[in-house]
Amino acid sequence: MTATTSGPAPALDPVRKLILQRRIRLVVAVTITYNVIEAVIALTAGTVASSAALIGFGLDSIVEVLSAAAIAWQFAAPDPEKREKVALRVVAYSFFGLAAYVIVDSCLSLFGLREAEHSPVGIALAAVSLAVMPVLSWFERRTGRELGSASAVADSKQTLICSYLSAALLAGLLLNSFLGWAWADSIAALVIAGFAIREGAEAWKGDACAVPIIALTGERTADTGACC
């Protein structure tokens, strides 16, 4: 890949900027609505099936709502850039909170204190989320990159992690149902937790960088040096 020079991105046309900001508000509204529904279904099904994995998935949906709400709050302002730092902090905290819960829940499962139970509703929910979340993440990430919003890109990564958790939940429930491997989703979840910690750290650094969008999208080249 050819290295690119760092520097300020060209200014957006005001009309185009307003369009992109409306797109961010739209995708955030859809994300919040979907995750509220997802959380209710997952927590209810998890309680009925005594499934720690499903309950954890429902709690992750609540974390995703918190992150998306921070972006909605940011872009509700006439000048969203002024709220970028606070929004980034909220996104970072949501990453760390998600990672902490996943680590604790995974360890409890690995030590035999909890395990994923068979749940047809949980399997269907995980499959739907696996189809929906990557699309929402891609749309928000693409719009955020064009707009130059580090917080929107960070939130899109939070949504992407939700899709990874959907895959882990689906794999765990299926393996547990057909092979009795209750530990499978715990191993996958620990990998996801490590990814969440890394992305949370990137979001935390983003608000202090001169070019946070580059740092958060992972497009920095070796010759750009430190971001701050």
Side-chain angles (χ1 to χ4, degrees):
M1 181 179 295
T2 304
T4 58
T5 58
S6 60
L12 281 173
D13 177 82
V15 175
R16 180 62 178 170
K17 186 173 184 179
L18 288 175
I19 291 174
L20 293 173
Q21 289 176 351
R22 282 197 295 267
R23 286 183 182 177
I24 291 292
R25 288 193 291 269
L26 175 62
V27 71
V28 165
V30 172
T31 300
I32 290 175
T33 302
Y34 180 82
N35 276 281
V36 169
I37 297 173
E38 182 181 74
V40 171
I41 295 175
L43 291 174
T44 302
T47 301
V48 171
S50 299
S51 172
L54 268 173
I55 292 174
F57 188 70
L59 293 176
D60 166 69
S61 298
I62 295 175
V63 170
E64 172 65 18
V65 169
L66 175 62
S67 176
I71 306 303
W73 169 78
Q74 177 190 351
F75 282 90
D79 187 6
E81 289 80 6
K82 292 183 178 180
R83 293 183 173 183
E84 179 111 311
K85 290 183 179 181
V86 176
L88 275 170
R89 291 293 189 184
V90 173
V91 172
Y93 281 129
S94 66
F95 271 121
F96 294 142
L98 172 58
Y101 177 83
V102 169
I103 289 173
V104 171
D105 189 64
S106 298
C107 289
L108 290 175
S109 297
L110 287 174
F111 286 117
L113 300 177
R114 295 180 182 177
E115 63 180 30
E117 300 290 342
H118 174 64
S119 172
V121 174
I123 292 174
L125 178 64
V128 171
S129 296
L130 188 58
V132 171
M133 286 301 174
V135 176
L136 292 176
S137 175
W138 172 83
F139 186 79
E140 185 176 12
R141 179 182 174 88
R142 180 179 179 180
T143 306
R145 287 175 61 186
E146 184 177 352
L147 186 59
S149 172
S151 58
V153 174
D155 184 60
S156 75
K157 290 190 174 186
Q158 173 72 279
T159 304
L160 188 61
I161 285 181
C162 187
S163 68
Y164 294 159
L165 283 171
S166 301
L169 175 64
L170 181 60
L173 291 176
L174 289 175
L175 289 173
N176 186 41
S177 295
F178 293 105
L179 299 177
W181 294 358
W183 48 265
D185 66 327
S186 298
I187 299 299
L190 287 174
V191 175
I192 294 168
F195 182 78
I197 292 172
R198 181 177 69 85
E199 297 304 331
E202 289 295 330
W204 185 272
K205 292 188 300 180
D207 65 340
C209 295
V211 283
I213 189 67
I214 297 177
L216 283 171
T217 56
E219 295 171 348
R220 270 191 311 178
T221 56
D223 60 343
T224 59
C227 64
C228 301

